[in-house]
Amino acid sequence: MTEGKAPDTTTVYTFDEVAKHNTEEDVWMVIDGKVYDVTSYLEDHPGGIDILTGVAGTDATEDFEAVSHSKPAIEQMAQFQVGVVEESPEKLEKKAAKKSATASSDSGLGGIVLKVGLVVAVIGAYFVATTKK
């Protein structure tokens, strides 16, 4: 594995800042919330230059995960990390909504009533099915 610089885990970029790095001479991308400058790796990428330039300036997490990368390849990525991405307001809203929905369905009086109601319905259905004989 090629030894490189330590990953920068403290510099924060917005998605708009990352989006500016979208040319063959300047290729940045986001994968799992981490920002990578892979410009110097274009010629060495086993999948070719077009794979990386095709996702330059974007969140390439789904594209990255769609390919089976080796453990050494994943470890090698650290040397290209130039920071982390600030979450967009849309992503923060989605996370908050998901967390709220999960919390409200898993706890509180409403969750208990729903679970008790389900159990009563199942017992009632069983009782009706067994007494019709």
Side-chain angles (χ1 to χ4, degrees):
M1 180 173 98
T2 307
E3 292 298 320
K5 63 180 183 130
D8 178 346
T9 59
T10 58
T11 304
V12 179
Y13 297 96
T14 65
F15 279 103
D16 288 340
E17 290 172 308
V18 173
K20 295 175 186 174
H21 301 272
N22 63 358
T23 67
E24 196 168 308
E25 294 77 36
D26 186 23
V27 180
W28 285 25
M29 65 188 63
V30 175
I31 299 174
D32 290 328
K34 298 173 185 173
V35 180
Y36 296 94
D37 177 354
V38 295
T39 310
S40 64
Y41 186 63
L42 293 179
E43 297 291 332
D44 296 324
H45 186 257
I49 294 171
D50 292 339
I51 299 293
L52 298 178
T53 58
V55 293
T58 69
D59 185 335
T61 302
E62 288 183 17
D63 296 283
F64 180 80
E65 291 175 348
V67 176
S68 203
H69 288 89
S70 66
K71 184 175 179 180
I74 293 169
E75 291 170 353
Q76 184 181 21
M77 290 173 53
Q79 68 183 308
F80 301 108
Q81 185 179 348
V82 294
V84 295
V85 71
E86 174 183 88
E87 295 215 47
S88 68
E90 296 83 19
K91 283 194 175 187
L92 290 173
E93 285 176 20
K94 285 181 183 176
K95 277 188 176 180
K98 187 175 183 181
K99 186 176 181 181
S100 175
T102 301
S104 66
S105 68
D106 288 345
S107 64
L109 185 58
I112 293 170
V113 170
L114 181 63
K115 291 174 186 171
V116 170
L118 183 60
V119 169
V120 169
V122 169
I123 292 171
Y126 175 78
F127 178 75
V128 169
T130 58
T131 57
K132 284 191 172 183
K133 291 182 178 181

